[in-house]
């Protein structure tokens, strides 16, 4: 039980801080620390992320950071996607599912590293010191 509390708190803090999906933290924690199967961890994560996403979105909305139209479009389209994804997940073995999840995490990590390295090269991605171009004001 203490592990579930720690995983939940860690996922909440990191989700609020970095905007990462709780599933990226819940699933490995539930598999590695709690001992759930990959299928159980992914299904449990889907339910656990509902209150996290709701509180996070409401909190970010107070800062004016939520793009409602984009969120609604992604949310509605995700409904069909998740139904298909659940069916596919249950057709795959736990090992295949685990490996696919690990590959996804590695792909995301590689993309983040690539973007971070490009951010320091003038004329490529926005540099951290320049901020979001939408927030820049011309005097």
């Amino acid at each position: 039980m203490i592990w579930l509390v720690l995983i939940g708190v860690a996922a909440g803090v990191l989700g609020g801080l970095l905007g990462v999906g709780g599933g990226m933290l819940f699933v490995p924690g539930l598999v590695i620390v709690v001992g759930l199967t990959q299928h159980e961890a992914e299904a449990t994560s889907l339910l656990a992320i509902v209150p996290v996403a709701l509180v996070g979105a409401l909190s970010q909305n107070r800062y004016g950071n939520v793009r409602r139209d984009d969120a609604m479009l992604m949310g509605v389209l995700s409904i069909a996607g998740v139904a298909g994804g659940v069916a596919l997940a249950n057709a795959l073995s736990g090992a295949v599912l685990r490996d696919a999840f690990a590959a996804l995490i590695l792909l995301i990590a590689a993309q983040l590293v690539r973007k971070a390295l490009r951010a320091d090269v003038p004329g490529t991605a926005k540099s951290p010191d320049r901020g979001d171009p939408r927030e820049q004001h011309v005097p």
Side-chain angles (χ1 to χ4, degrees):
M1 179 60 121
I2 189 73
W3 287 114
L4 294 174
V5 171
L6 293 174
I7 291 167
V9 170
V13 170
L14 291 174
L17 178 65
L18 304 174
V20 297
M24 299 302 271
L25 302 168
F26 285 151
V27 173
L30 290 170
V31 170
I32 296 166
V33 179
V34 178
L36 298 185
T37 68
Q38 189 71 25
H39 289 93
E40 292 169 335
E42 290 183 15
T44 301
S45 173
L46 286 172
L47 182 56
I49 199 62
V50 172
V52 173
L54 183 60
V55 170
L58 291 173
S59 297
Q60 286 288 2
N61 189 57
R62 280 187 244 138
Y63 290 96
N65 294 330
V66 176
R67 297 177 65 162
R68 286 180 196 83
D69 291 342
D70 295 341
M72 292 307 295
L73 178 61
M74 288 188 308
V76 168
L77 295 174
S78 294
I79 292 170
V82 78
V86 166
L88 179 60
N90 282 288
L92 299 173
S93 72
V96 169
L97 205 53
R98 179 199 60 225
D99 293 348
F101 187 84
L104 175 64
I105 291 175
L106 289 173
L107 178 65
I108 292 169
Q111 289 296 321
L112 290 172
V113 168
R114 185 179 67 81
K115 281 186 91 171
L117 293 174
R118 286 185 48 205
D120 293 331
V121 177
T124 57
K126 68 179 182 184
S127 295
D129 57 324
R130 289 198 322 240
D132 188 334
R134 294 173 294 178
E135 296 174 0
Q136 294 179 1
H137 301 285
V138 178

